[in-house]
Amino acid sequence: LNLGKVSVVNDYIWEQEQGNIDYLREKKLGIYEPKIKMLPVVIKNLLEDEELYSFYKTNIINENIRNGVKEVSKFIIDE
């Protein structure tokens, strides 16, 4: 998401990544499809349907996701 890419996730480490999947789905920033047999259809739709792709891209841009490493590092060093 930080790179502006539409994520397609089909599996995750439960508990550890649950919050990330919830965020992705609630904010409509990407697609979670747990059925691996459905992935070709999901990817095909994403690649061929410009409106669908634009929907996710717009949501990602509007979320204004950025890498906070610089700010966190500065905070740690300054403390």
Side-chain angles (χ1 to χ4, degrees):
L1 293 175
N2 192 40
L3 296 174
K5 308 288 183 186
V6 178
S7 297
V8 177
V9 180
N10 87 305
D11 198 9
Y12 62 95
I13 300 171
W14 190 78
E15 288 271 335
Q16 181 176 334
E17 298 294 333
Q18 181 69 54
N20 292 331
I21 295 300
D22 292 344
Y23 177 74
L24 181 84
R25 294 175 75 194
E26 288 170 14
K27 299 287 187 168
K28 295 179 177 28
L29 303 172
I31 301 167
Y32 172 61
E33 176 51 69
K35 298 174 188 160
I36 199 162
K37 290 183 179 184
M38 291 301 297
L39 285 180
V41 173
V42 169
I43 299 297
K44 184 175 189 268
N45 287 342
L46 190 59
L47 294 174
E48 292 180 352
D49 186 339
E50 289 183 34
E51 190 173 320
L52 179 66
Y53 182 76
S54 292
F55 170 79
Y56 286 111
K57 286 291 287 185
T58 300
N59 290 347
I60 292 167
I61 291 166
N62 289 341
E63 195 64 16
N64 196 26
I65 297 167
R66 61 185 176 79
N67 186 332
V69 171
K70 183 178 179 180
E71 290 86 358
V72 171
S73 299
K74 184 171 176 13
F75 176 80
I76 291 170
I77 290 170
D78 290 347
E79 286 298 311

